[in-house]
Amino acid sequence: MRFMLKWLFVLFVLFTLGSCGGIEKKAFNKSANQDIKTIGVLEPANLGEYRVVNFDHPGLAFGIVGGLLAASDMKSKSSQFTEQIKLRNFSLYEDLQNALMTELQRVGYAIKLIKVD
């Protein structure tokens, strides 16, 4: 009985402490931040590969072996997709970054590109 009460107490403490954490969401208030004129944009990391993920892959319903088969299939599809994207000289990272910077400049912000190592 004491053993069970100890575990219930430990679970209660863990649940209580775990439910307290979180990041406060705060909306950007443009009128209160009129002095912001320059925005730093981090250069996105180009991983060199586009991943193809099928969260509803039929192989995932068959345990570890099915999971391994699904992972192998998705890896193969990722390689094929990446190869086709590179043949077309398409870069999602650059296109998204350029679109973001263009829109920020359009609404009046100065942009500073920050290269990340």
Side-chain angles (χ1 to χ4, degrees):
M1 183 67 175
R2 284 185 77 166
F3 179 76
M4 188 173 194
L5 287 174
K6 284 182 184 180
W7 275 108
L8 286 174
F9 177 75
V10 169
L11 289 174
F12 174 77
V13 169
L14 289 175
F15 177 78
T16 304
L17 292 176
S19 64
C20 293
I23 298 173
E24 179 184 349
K25 294 181 182 179
K26 188 175 182 182
F28 180 73
N29 185 352
K30 188 173 182 176
S31 62
N33 295 296
Q34 291 292 329
D35 55 335
I36 296 177
K37 301 293 181 201
T38 303
I39 295 180
V41 176
L42 298 177
E43 183 180 61
N46 187 350
L47 302 177
E49 181 183 46
Y50 294 94
R51 294 187 60 201
V52 174
V53 180
N54 181 357
F55 290 109
D56 197 30
H57 194 284
L60 296 175
F62 297 103
I64 293 175
V65 175
L68 291 173
L69 290 172
S72 173
D73 182 46
M74 286 186 262
K75 178 68 175 166
S76 170
K77 286 183 169 79
S78 295
S79 297
Q80 291 172 4
F81 183 72
T82 300
E83 183 180 316
Q84 292 298 314
I85 290 294
K86 286 182 179 178
L87 286 174
R88 289 167 175 76
N89 292 325
F90 175 74
S91 176
L92 178 65
Y93 308 108
E94 290 176 15
D95 288 350
L96 290 176
Q97 178 183 7
N98 290 336
L100 173 67
M101 290 172 61
T102 301
E103 186 62 23
L104 287 172
Q105 287 173 339
R106 186 186 70 75
V107 296
Y109 291 105
I111 304 300
K112 180 179 179 184
L113 183 63
I114 301 170
K115 298 201 182 278
V116 180
D117 293 330

